[in-house]
């Protein structure tokens, strides 16, 4: 886990930036290739497999901790890590069932 002082260039918590924003952005970059691949795949589908960690069960979403501020520093690195994994699970479930 990165030290609490480390942030993304845009001022987000580094755990959130890496585990949530980075994965989301990478998936969005892959979408054109995934859609193109459906034309030649056997079942006409493409898949993205998301993983997380069981530590997602130990946190929820506190939007005040996504960017730098007192709430983020008070939360601590373990809570921020758990929260980033929780957000990945919530995002994955949202995308799957939408």
């Amino acid at each position: 886990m990165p030290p609490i002082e480390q942030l993304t260039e845009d001022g987000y918590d580094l755990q959130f930036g890496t585990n949530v924003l980075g994965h989301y952005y990478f998936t969005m970059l892959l979408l054109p290739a995934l859609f193109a691949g459906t034309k030649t795949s056997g079942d006409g589908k493409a898949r993205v497999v998301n993983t997380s960690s069981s530590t997602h069960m130990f946190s929820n979403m506190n939007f005040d901790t996504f960017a730098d501020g007192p709430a983020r520093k008070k939360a601590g690195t373990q809570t921020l890590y758990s929260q980033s994994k929780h957000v990945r699970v919530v995002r994955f479930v949202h995308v799957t069932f939408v």
Side-chain angles (χ1 to χ4, degrees):
M1 285 179 262
I4 197 83
E5 297 82 22
Q6 290 188 345
L7 304 169
T8 66
E9 282 185 22
D10 295 320
Y12 290 102
D13 174 67
L14 192 58
Q15 292 286 356
F16 181 74
T18 302
N19 294 333
V20 179
L21 300 176
H23 289 261
Y24 175 80
Y25 183 64
F26 184 60
T27 302
M28 294 298 104
L29 292 175
L30 289 174
L31 284 179
L34 291 168
F35 288 133
T38 63
K39 295 174 183 152
T40 58
S41 71
D43 62 1
K45 297 179 181 179
R47 292 164 188 81
V48 174
V49 177
N50 284 284
T51 62
S52 190
S53 167
S54 62
T55 192
H56 80 275
M57 296 182 289
F58 302 111
S59 186
N60 54 23
M61 286 190 285
N62 178 354
F63 293 92
D64 293 334
T65 62
F66 292 167
D68 195 22
R72 184 181 148 274
K73 290 185 175 115
K74 184 179 178 183
T77 55
Q78 184 61 47
T79 298
L80 295 171
Y81 175 77
S82 297
Q83 177 177 258
S84 73
K85 295 301 183 174
H86 179 81
V87 174
R88 283 189 52 74
V89 169
V90 169
R91 186 194 165 281
F92 171 71
V93 170
H94 173 75
V95 169
T96 302
F97 296 104
V98 169

